[in-house]
Amino acid sequence: MQRFPTFRKGGVHPDDKKSLSSPCAIERLPVPSELIVPLSQHLGAPASALKQKGETLDIGEKIGKASGFISADVHSPVAGLIKDIRKVTLANSVVCDAFVIAVDAKQPVKVWEEQPYAHLSGAQIISIVQDMGVVGTGGATFPTHVKLMVPKGKSVDALVVNGVECEPYLTADHRLMLEETDKVLQGVMIVAQAVSPKRIIIGVENNKPDAIEVLRNAVSQKGYPIDVVPLKVKYPQGDEKQLLKATIGREIPSGKLPIDVGALVLNVGTSFAVYEAVALRKPLIDRVVTVSGEAIASPKNIRTYVGTKVVDLLAYCGNPKERYEKMISGGPMMGFAFFDDQTPITKGSSGILVLDNQKELDAPTTACISCGRCVAVCPMGLQPTKLYKLIEHRRYEDAMKMNLMDCKECGCCAYTCPAHIPLVHGMKLGKKLGRK
Ligand code: SF4
Ligand code: SF4
């Protein structure tokens, strides 16, 4: 039997629930009548507004300017009128300014023509990626141009493309690999043109054999120097640290970044966005979102504009079958619970889930029985039960000494805890308060 590589320490095997939406080809949502486009769709400082209430907008026009080194530009996905600029609360609880845009229903469809890019230097590619507002679409939303700026004295040995999509239910990247294979690969090669890696690897978990096959066929047809590596299914393999261990056998030391071990990690969706930015000069104004969960009447993978309200996506999927109180943005392990269906999609929204197993998720907390399961599954080698107790007693400094900041908030500990202790919530709180 063939053995597939994976990371060694910890990890869990939740039911992947991907069959709900993985057969569903990407559909495009009809343009909604109104979008809410936030100025904070990325890690780092929010963008500053470049437009005012009452102004009209063209498709792709820049409406927000990055306001720091780690920040990203924001563009209007549609032609329309700025009805308002107001505060919104995003699914991840970030509160920021957002443009409320009345969409011009008569806008002609914009055709983004392919332009030559083979002659571009690394610096030119990075500048275009920055100008087009590209950020990591896997959820972390780190500005991509910053990631591509390799620090002086360092170099990229391995460019590792993340096609893992290990969170249950999510299938947006899977569908992109199947349906936009060539554009994803062109995006990877554009990144390679910018950072000159010695080798390129795409890691895909072996629960997506069709994606592995189409990628391998396309790579061999085009003669790309890319190695498509099937990985054993294990959560959280999509995390940079676990992915690098699984694909190139390198460990990122505590407090260090992938580039410190000669690696650059980029998500499949981000590679697609880089292709669109550099080859089409198209800003990151839309993305594929998986809408799924047992309570969704008709799960789908939908290409939609950033700024689309969740209520519009749910209506397109036939609205939930049951009354629901909360939704999840992202996957069930690392995603954010939110309650307002007027919440907009952002550049980092990989999925919207409405589950019917809320009872299980909301099970009452009981006392810790010191079973040690949380310690066994922590991929970062932490002691979640001890950390939680320290945080409960406000001993943040002691928790920091036990490497609390290494916690990836992956949720493996809480997933496995028989006492339903909100361990991840505790880690997030401890990190926030311990930093002060
Ligand atoms: S959430 Fe943090 S403490 Fe819990 S398993 Fe993941 S990395 Fe470990
Ligand atoms: S898994 Fe839960 S019950 Fe077991 S040691 Fe960890 S916190 Fe305690």
Side-chain angles (χ1 to χ4, degrees):
M1 203 173 78
Q2 192 182 354
R3 287 170 68 97
F4 296 100
T6 187
F7 59 97
R8 243 189 271 146
K9 207 185 290 169
V12 292
H13 299 273
D15 184 353
D16 77 10
K17 311 267 188 174
K18 289 185 188 280
S19 59
L20 288 172
S21 60
S22 58
C24 306
I26 298 168
E27 296 177 37
R28 184 171 269 288
L29 188 80
V31 187
S33 58
E34 183 182 273
L35 296 182
I36 300 176
V37 183
L39 282 165
S40 185
Q41 300 189 49
H42 48 266
L43 201 76
S48 316
L50 294 173
K51 300 282 174 183
Q52 292 178 355
K53 184 176 170 181
E55 289 191 69
T56 54
L57 299 168
D58 283 332
I59 298 174
E61 193 172 347
K62 201 173 280 184
I63 55 175
K65 180 83 198 131
S67 62
F69 179 62
I70 300 188
S71 184
D73 294 348
V74 177
H75 304 74
S76 176
V78 290
L81 174 78
I82 301 174
K83 274 168 59 177
D84 199 5
I85 299 175
R86 63 172 163 85
K87 293 265 181 242
V88 292
T89 304
L90 305 180
N92 59 2
S93 300
V94 166
V95 178
C96 68
D97 287 327
F99 289 92
V100 182
I101 303 172
V103 179
D104 175 359
K106 291 191 225 101
Q107 61 176 315
V109 176
K110 184 165 171 95
V111 180
W112 303 87
E113 305 273 359
E114 190 155 318
Q115 302 183 32
Y117 58 82
H119 63 286
L120 296 174
S121 68
Q124 285 169 323
I125 289 173
I126 292 169
S127 166
I128 295 168
V129 166
Q130 178 173 18
D131 202 35
M132 296 296 123
V134 180
V135 304
T137 60
T141 64
F142 191 80
T144 303
H145 68 278
V146 181
K147 195 177 246 193
L148 300 187
M149 289 177 194
V150 179
K152 259 206 178 110
K154 311 222 173 206
S155 61
V156 180
D157 169 50
L159 168 58
V160 179
V161 181
N162 185 350
V164 168
E165 201 169 45
C166 60
E167 274 270 13
Y169 293 96
L170 303 185
T171 55
D173 280 353
H174 183 185
R175 291 310 311 184
L176 265 184
M177 289 188 278
L178 286 179
E179 296 178 49
E180 303 284 8
T181 320
D182 196 43
K183 292 172 184 168
V184 167
L185 292 175
Q186 283 190 67
V188 173
M189 294 311 296
I190 291 169
V191 172
Q193 193 175 325
V195 301
S196 309
K198 291 199 183 79
R199 53 190 172 137
I200 311 170
I201 293 146
I202 304 183
V204 187
E205 285 191 340
N206 68 350
N207 58 355
K208 297 181 261 298
D210 47 359
I212 292 167
E213 192 185 340
V214 295
L215 284 169
R216 279 185 163 163
N217 288 343
V219 161
S220 109
Q221 252 177 31
K222 298 272 176 185
Y224 290 140
I226 299 176
D227 194 9
V228 180
V229 178
L231 302 169
K232 186 177 169 185
V233 177
K234 187 154 87 155
Y235 179 87
Q237 196 142 239
D239 182 87
E240 289 184 336
K241 194 170 171 111
Q242 278 65 47
L243 182 63
L244 290 185
K245 187 77 190 155
T247 51
I248 60 171
R250 288 201 194 147
E251 190 102 40
I252 310 174
S254 173
K256 298 284 182 192
L257 297 168
I259 195 66
D260 295 314
V261 295
L264 193 139
V265 181
L266 207 74
N267 173 264
V268 156
T270 315
S271 305
F272 181 72
V274 167
Y275 162 79
E276 293 207 317
V278 177
L280 308 181
R281 301 291 199 275
K282 180 185 165 207
L284 180 46
I285 53 173
D286 62 1
R287 62 157 299 141
V288 181
V289 182
T290 301
V291 181
S292 187
E294 289 80 359
I296 293 287
S298 175
K300 292 184 192 302
N301 295 294
I302 305 173
R303 186 149 188 187
T304 191
Y305 293 121
V306 299
T308 302
K309 288 178 267 184
V310 167
V311 67
D312 291 329
L313 286 170
L314 296 182
Y316 188 70
C317 296
N319 282 318
K321 291 180 271 189
E322 300 160 24
R323 200 180 73 82
Y324 61 94
E325 282 172 4
K326 73 178 177 190
M327 296 157 280
I328 295 171
S329 172
M333 300 295 284
M334 288 190 78
F336 302 95
F338 69 104
F339 305 90
D340 184 359
D341 61 11
Q342 298 296 308
T343 303
I345 292 299
T346 64
K347 295 174 185 179
S349 306
S350 48
I352 298 297
L353 308 181
V354 188
L355 312 180
D356 69 356
N357 55 351
Q358 295 300 342
K359 270 193 204 120
E360 194 189 317
L361 292 175
D362 296 337
T365 299
T366 53
C368 172
I369 55 166
S370 301
C371 64
R373 285 193 212 173
C374 56
V375 179
V377 299
C378 178
M380 300 305 292
L382 302 176
Q383 299 194 45
T385 175
K386 279 197 182 155
L387 286 169
Y388 188 83
K389 280 175 192 153
L390 288 173
I391 293 159
E392 247 189 341
H393 292 98
R394 300 184 189 178
R395 291 172 55 193
Y396 306 122
E397 239 175 76
D398 291 335
M400 289 295 181
K401 283 182 201 151
M402 290 184 69
N403 297 327
L404 172 62
M405 294 311 285
D406 281 352
C407 170
K408 296 282 188 167
E409 302 170 15
C410 66
C412 291
C413 51
Y415 171 81
T416 199
C417 176
H420 302 290
I421 295 170
L423 293 162
V424 189
H425 178 74
M427 303 303 151
K428 285 183 184 172
L429 190 73
K431 283 163 82 175
K432 198 167 152 195
L433 297 175
R435 255 195 297 250
K436 284 184 179 168

